[in-house]
């Protein structure tokens, strides 16, 4: 049996299947469809022709625009119809045509999206992705399966992220870029193939990082990417020198972590 809060508003031409849980002040417009294992948090709004299906939980204050499909089955040949889940945090906006899939059983069965995110029209989050908080995905951004997007990343329109790739916090990916390798925190990547073009100084400034700290991070960046030798060895070699800078430590920890992908750099994948 469904649990529907008395304050919820459901249009008579919407379909809310038996078993759904509908929170306080939820608004569900005409021609919407809510599956039987869906939980909609308080103050969430579904605009006409939007769908939430699967074993999907949305937090408070989310907005889902027309033709978005949230909680659809994973687009994977390995998916055999197993019960897998999607969890979305609070205050996420999913614009027209956004698709977010549940996980796959072989990899834990969970797609997890944080809070305060903005997903613009026709952007896609595939199975088993991990998306942090305050992320902006512009129109037509595509995340393949198992991608990790950390907090406050901005992905420009039409960019595509290869499966199992990580994009570090506060990174910026330019429009139409092909993200084939991990992007360090505070990095800026552009092009196809995507090349690391330095630091997202604008993003760092907006985040309240002072000029002196930005200069420290720039020195660390040069030591890692503009010095001869292996990038991971270069990063390990400077850890003691930059141990007091939080932003540099975040970069070094990101580089040191295990990953299925190599690191983006100013030259990796460059043609010619």
């Amino acid at each position: 049996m469904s649990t529907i809060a008395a304050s919820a508003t459901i249009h008579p031409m919407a379909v809310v299947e038996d078993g759904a849980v509908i929170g306080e002040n939820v608004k569900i417009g005409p021609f919407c469809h809510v599956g039987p294992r869906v939980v909609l948090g308080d103050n969430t709004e579904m605009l006409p022709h939007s769908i939430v299906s699967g074993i999907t939980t949305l937090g408070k204050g989310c907005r889902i625009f027309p033709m978005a499909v949230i909680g659809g089955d994973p687009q994977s040949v390995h998916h055999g119809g197993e019960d897998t889940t999607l969890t979305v945090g609070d205050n996420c906006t999913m614009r027209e045509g956004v698709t977010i899939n549940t996980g796959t059983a072989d990899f834990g069965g969970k797609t997890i999206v944080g809070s305060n995110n903005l997903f613009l029209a026709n952007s896609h989050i595939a199975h088993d992705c991990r998306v942090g908080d305050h992320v902006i995905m512009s129109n037509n951004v595509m995340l393949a399966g198992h991608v990790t997007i950390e907090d406050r990343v901005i992905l420009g329109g039409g960019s595509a992220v290869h499966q199992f790739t990580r994009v570090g916090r506060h990174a910026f990916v330019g429009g139409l870029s092909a993200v084939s390798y991990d992007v360090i925190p505070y990095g800026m990547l552009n092009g196809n193939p995507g090349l690391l073009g330095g630091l997202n100084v604008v993003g760092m400034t907006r985040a309240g990082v002072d000029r002196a700290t930005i200069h420290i991070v720039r020195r660390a960046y040069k030591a890692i990417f503009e010095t001869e030798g292996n990038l991971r060895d270069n990063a390990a070699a400077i850890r003691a020198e930059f141990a007091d800078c939080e932003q540099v430590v975040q970069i070094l920890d990101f580089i040191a972590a295990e990953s299925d992908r190599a690191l983006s750099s100013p030259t990796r994948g460059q043609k010619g």
Side-chain angles (χ1 to χ4, degrees):
M1 177 165 303
S2 297
T3 302
I4 301 176
S7 59
T9 302
I10 301 174
H11 194 279
M13 298 186 75
V15 175
V16 178
E17 294 199 42
D18 191 30
V21 177
I22 310 299
E24 299 288 347
N25 301 308
V26 168
K27 296 179 181 178
I28 301 176
F31 308 109
C32 292
H33 186 276
V34 181
R37 294 189 285 182
V38 167
V39 177
L40 299 181
D42 297 347
N43 301 306
T44 286
E45 180 180 10
M46 294 180 63
L47 279 72
H49 296 280
S50 57
I51 296 172
V52 183
S53 60
I55 307 175
T56 298
T57 299
L58 270 62
K60 299 177 181 179
C62 293
R63 297 191 77 206
I64 308 167
F65 280 69
M67 311 311 294
V69 180
I70 310 304
D73 285 348
Q75 299 177 69
S76 169
V77 297
H78 303 293
H79 181 63
E82 302 91 348
D83 284 345
T84 59
T85 66
L86 166 65
T87 302
V88 178
D90 299 335
N91 303 315
C92 289
T93 298
M94 290 147 271
R95 291 302 303 253
E96 295 81 356
V98 167
T99 50
I100 308 178
N101 295 160
T102 60
T104 56
D106 290 346
F107 292 89
K110 297 179 180 180
T111 302
I112 300 174
V113 175
S115 298
N116 302 301
N117 297 314
L118 175 59
F119 305 129
L120 297 186
N122 300 309
S123 53
H124 173 68
I125 299 174
H127 57 87
D128 304 292
C129 286
R130 301 290 186 268
V131 178
D133 300 331
H134 299 282
V135 170
I136 297 175
M137 290 173 50
S138 300
N139 293 31
N140 303 303
V141 169
M142 298 172 287
L143 304 186
H146 314 280
V147 164
T148 297
I149 305 293
E150 295 186 353
D151 296 346
R152 297 188 182 276
V153 168
I154 297 176
L155 295 151
S159 56
V161 185
H162 190 284
Q163 62 183 358
F164 293 100
T165 297
R166 301 175 299 147
V167 180
R169 64 180 61 241
H170 288 279
F172 179 88
V173 174
L176 302 177
S177 294
V179 187
S180 299
Y181 305 107
D182 291 349
V183 182
I184 60 167
Y186 308 99
M188 178 173 287
L189 182 135
N190 282 285
N192 182 4
L195 300 178
L196 194 64
L199 295 172
N200 180 17
V201 174
V202 172
M204 295 174 75
T205 301
R206 289 175 178 171
V209 180
D210 60 74
R211 183 176 296 274
T213 300
I214 291 173
H215 285 308
I216 293 171
V217 179
R218 275 178 166 159
R219 277 201 298 118
Y221 177 91
K222 290 180 179 180
I224 297 167
F225 293 100
E226 298 180 13
T227 301
E228 293 293 328
N230 178 275
L231 298 180
R232 297 184 190 277
D233 291 343
N234 291 348
I238 66 171
R239 183 173 286 275
E241 179 183 354
F242 292 93
D244 293 333
C245 180
E246 175 186 358
Q247 290 77 16
V248 174
V249 171
Q250 288 170 353
I251 294 171
L252 299 181
D253 288 346
F254 182 93
I255 292 172
E258 291 188 11
S259 177
D260 293 290
R261 307 296 296 163
L263 283 168
S264 293
S265 75
T267 58
R268 188 183 301 279
Q270 190 171 27
K271 298 176 181 178

